[in-house]
Amino acid sequence: MTVILEINTLVWLGELSDRHGRRITLGEVPGEVWDELARPGIDTVWLMGVWERSPAGLGIALRDETLLASFREALPDVTEADIAASPYCVRNYVVDASLGGPEGLATARAQLAARGLRLILDFVPNHVAPDHPWLTTHPDRLIQGTPDDLAHAPDAFLEAGGHLYARGRDPYFPPWPDVVQLNAFAEDLRRATVDTLVSIGDQADGVRCDMAMLMMNDVFAKTWGDRAGPTPPEDFWPYVIPRVRARHPDLLFVAEAYWDLEWALQQQGFDHCYDKRLYDRLCHENADSVRAHLRADLAYQRGLVRFLENHDEPRAAATLPGARGRAAAIAVATLPGATLWHEGQFEGRRVRPPVFLSRRPQETADEPLRDFHGRLLRVATAVRRGEWRPLTPTGRPDNDTHRDLLAWTWTHEDTRHVVAVNYSDRLAEARLPLPWDDLRGGEHRLTDLLTDRTYDRDGGELTDQGLFVALGAWEAHVLSVSARGTS
């Protein structure tokens, strides 16, 4: 199962350069640094923000007081030298020269491959930078405006390349000031998207598509109406993805997706879509809510990306501190589907730097949390094999704390595992009905892979009554089950 580590490439290379006392680009990263990334349990690295950034976008960012305030909040001693254009304000899909250019990326990909790791890169289908070449050479690929539009809504339109264009947006928020809107309904844009993704597939093993749902026919029509022209008979991604896979059959497609459109995007060709719904429930709701989410079809769940943070969300150590954060991490690490971890998450970083920044504040690493994540990654690799099945905890009529437990099993031909997480701030007790009818007639040892503690239980009790668990606030078991003998 895919386990992704997201790295803010610009910040990461800057810190490596400071650590080694010389400028380091993607082609010059020391081997021991790649070794550090290739920790057990990680199989894919997402180098976020490698493409050529926009000088025009940088100029807009430097004049935006709201953005500047966010930079100062994250990095109080920020200077203009610390600010770059957004990595999602792409001027060209060529690796930025400051990061090592295409040759540097090729070296980095080879280093990752030598360690058994795949490489994922970004693609932004919805918009481009205001100095992207298409504004001059292919205006028909963008949503255009009129002088009246610019006069009445200067925040939503701009003049560039001798044309008037709409700024990029989604249907629920004001336009983004530093990008220009592409036209998902334009045939020429669709062909160009295929070409761009084929080029990315020449350089990487997968692609993370930013705000992928914005290009779906119904969403795009809702956002842009008549400005986009007639709605094509074929949706955007079913047009694009098969044509890219004709050249790169194994290219991994990951969608940033919201608004409960994950299933639709999976049906349109994506391997994995963000599971923002699980993230919200883990952050703001309770075990009942999470358990309801996990009743969804298993094929759908295998196509989700579970996460507790990424470059768009607050740091997990800030939103889910302490034991609750560890409980949530155990849950996302042992569920079916892909898992996304964010560089700095393991060490407990609490400041999320805006993607415009090339530097972040120094923070002291939480060594116990780092050790916990290291062990969890290894455990999750061992556990997530075979068939996953959710469990419904049961309890006594006078004790409803069983509702605070999340539980599931993994069954492989040679291993059996039980995961139980108390997702509450009180003691929880429950019986877990296990799916293994052949436990009867023998003694079984349950070993908690996170703590190495062992529990011996009779197979008849496990079969007839279920496994009894009592877990303190935010505690968890990840248990391997093995026979100790038969009667």
Side-chain angles (χ1 to χ4, degrees), residues 143-146 149-151 153-159 164-167 175 224 227:
I143 296 288
Q144 300 192 37
T146 68
D149 291 327
L150 184 61
D155 292 339
F157 293 86
L158 78 161
E159 187 172 1
L164 293 171
Y165 294 109
R167 299 181 193 270
W224 293 106
R227 293 184 187 277

Side-chain angles (χ1 to χ4, degrees), residues 4-6 307-310 315-317 320 325 328-329 332 339-350 360 366 369-370 373:
I4 304 167
L5 176 65
E6 179 190 0
F307 61 89
L308 297 178
E309 66 170 75
N310 55 56
R315 287 289 193 176
L320 294 167
V332 300
T339 314
L340 170 62
W341 304 104
H342 189 200
E343 190 272 327
Q345 180 176 354
F346 300 150
E347 295 77 31
R349 284 188 171 272
R350 300 177 64 84
R360 62 186 175 185
D366 183 334
L369 188 62
R370 192 204 305 267
H373 279 105

Side-chain angles (χ1 to χ4, degrees), residues 301-322:
Q301 297 207 53
R302 290 193 183 111
L304 295 174
V305 181
R306 324 288 193 167
F307 61 89
L308 297 178
E309 66 170 75
N310 55 56
H311 69 264
D312 287 316
E313 305 292 352
R315 287 289 193 176
T319 56
L320 294 167

Side-chain angles (χ1 to χ4, degrees), residues 90-111:
V90 177
R91 187 180 184 278
N92 205 355
Y93 282 94
V94 176
V95 180
D96 202 291
S98 67
L99 304 179
E103 298 80 9
L105 180 68
T107 299
R109 185 186 185 190
Q111 292 280 6

